[in-house]
Amino acid sequence: MNFKIDDRNIQNTDLSSIRILLADSDPSKIAQVISYTEQQFRPSVRVCKSYVDLLPMLRAELPEIMLLGMFDTFNSFDICQECCQTWKQLPIVLLSRQKIIDDYFHYFRRMAITKGAIDVVPHDLLQLDRLFQELLQPQTTTDPQIAATVTVHTMLTAMTEITQIGNNYFGPLAQGNYWRKAHACIVNEFPALEHWSADHFGIISCNEAIQQSPCTEQDLHSLRSWVSVYISECERIIVDFGDILKNSSLSPAVLQLLPDLASSPTIT
């Protein structure tokens, strides 16, 4: 999976084979989503306008992704959880009515993910670009186990995403210092980090020879520890940087990297 997209790839890729189920009872929202997806991706979209019809439609033909909006008198979280329990491999994206990404949106997003959704997109739908790009990678293989594999490259992109958020608060030299200092502090404890580095400007790199390899639990634990120490360093300057990071609009891969800040290792 690649969380950083190239707009030219999106525009030139025919995604008409991707099957989408749009579940929403609001005609204006249905029109908005169909207009956006047809213009950007040209997929195959079915529309479900009521909860009564939803489960039968899913049983008849399971889509490759479901965009879940709102049904009158029904809770979207409950519907999401019910569908995820029945169809564990079905990616569900919740559609938010909010036009501004604020604290409530981040709360809604966290709740949705706990119910099984892969993400929430705001009113403008722009984050659908990233989510559809993530779906491109599984199309290159017929082996579902390989398609579901999270690679080291996926986590490299996630680490870069963290740096990009940090760039809003720190200069590149400061970021480079935080990443390099954190790496030096724990690399002996986590040998997997020997394949990783950060330059003076905070650009994260990884040995190209392993980038397409599966990211193991040991790799993930090592990267979490590195991120944890990096956050501790950032909080020497901005005390709530960890909270700022958690409340940002993050990809699912970055969410896997965020440690429990209360137990973060620190540099002595």
Side-chain angles (χ1 to χ4, degrees), residues 3 6 28 41 59 65 93 95 101 106 136 148 161 178 184 191 195 202 205-206 209 216-217 246 251:
F3 297 99
D6 183 334
S28 63
F41 316 112
R59 294 190 186 101
I65 187 168
V93 177
L95 303 176
I101 296 180
H106 292 306
L136 289 179
E161 185 178 335
Y178 300 153
H195 299 289
S205 300
C206 180
T216 66
E217 188 61 36
K246 283 187 171 182
S251 69

Side-chain angles (χ1 to χ4, degrees), residues 114-130:
T114 64
K115 299 296 184 180
I118 63 171
D119 213 337
V120 175
V121 297
H123 178 76
D124 58 18
L125 302 179
L126 294 180
Q127 291 185 30
L128 278 179
D129 291 6
R130 170 173 59 79

Side-chain angles (χ1 to χ4, degrees), residues 34-256:
I34 290 179
S35 174
Y36 184 87
T37 56
E38 287 183 347
Q39 179 181 2
Q40 297 291 100
F41 316 112
R42 305 179 300 280
S44 172
V45 181
R46 289 186 301 155
V47 176
C48 177
K49 298 182 180 180
S50 71
Y51 173 74
V52 173
D53 296 330
L54 179 60
L55 298 185
M57 289 184 70
L58 288 172
R59 294 190 186 101
E61 181 183 7
L62 198 65
E64 291 175 89
I65 187 168
M66 182 166 77
L67 305 179
L68 177 59
M70 297 176 60
F71 291 134
D72 294 338
T73 72
F74 289 93
N75 186 295
S76 297
F77 290 151
D78 293 341
I79 296 174
C80 178
Q81 186 173 39
E82 179 182 7
C83 292
C84 287
Q85 289 173 346
T86 305
W87 296 280
K88 300 184 186 302
Q89 302 304 317
L90 173 62
I92 299 178
V93 177
L94 265 65
L95 303 176
S96 172
R97 287 340 195 227
Q98 285 187 260
K99 297 183 179 181
I100 300 176
I101 296 180
D102 54 14
D103 289 342
Y104 181 78
F105 176 85
H106 292 306
Y107 170 79
F108 183 87
R109 183 172 183 268
R110 288 194 295 270
M111 284 292 296
I113 291 174
T114 64
K115 299 296 184 180
I118 63 171
D119 213 337
V120 175
V121 297
H123 178 76
D124 58 18
L125 302 179
L126 294 180
Q127 291 185 30
L128 278 179
D129 291 6
R130 170 173 59 79
L131 293 170
F132 273 78
Q133 182 71 1
E134 290 176 24
L135 291 177
L136 289 179
Q137 183 68 21
Q139 307 304 313
T140 62
T141 176
T142 57
D143 186 334
Q145 184 173 359
I146 295 175
T149 298
V150 176
T151 65
V152 171
H153 183 266
T154 300
M155 307 320 295
L156 172 60
T157 307
M159 297 287 285
T160 301
E161 185 178 335
I162 292 174
T163 300
Q164 290 171 342
I165 295 172
N167 284 337
N168 295 321
Y169 303 92
F170 307 101
L173 290 176
Q175 288 248 72
N177 181 53
Y178 300 153
W179 280 120
R180 288 159 61 85
K181 189 175 181 181
H183 186 275
C185 171
I186 64 172
V187 67
N188 291 334
E189 183 180 355
F190 300 97
L193 293 180
E194 293 177 357
H195 299 289
W196 295 77
S197 63
D199 69 10
H200 289 284
F201 297 100
I203 298 176
I204 308 293
S205 300
C206 180
N207 188 333
E208 291 187 4
I210 68 167
Q211 287 193 22
Q212 299 308 315
S213 301
C215 183
T216 66
E217 188 61 36
Q218 181 182 7
D219 294 332
L220 191 57
H221 180 58
S222 300
L223 292 173
R224 281 190 188 124
S225 299
W226 189 13
V227 170
S228 180
V229 181
Y230 159 78
I231 291 174
S232 296
E233 282 298 291
C234 292
E235 289 184 334
R236 295 175 186 264
I237 307 301
I238 300 179
V239 295
D240 60 345
F241 180 73
D243 292 332
I244 291 173
L245 187 59
K246 283 187 171 182
N247 290 326
S248 300
S249 181
L250 303 174
S251 69
V254 173
L255 292 174
Q256 294 185 62

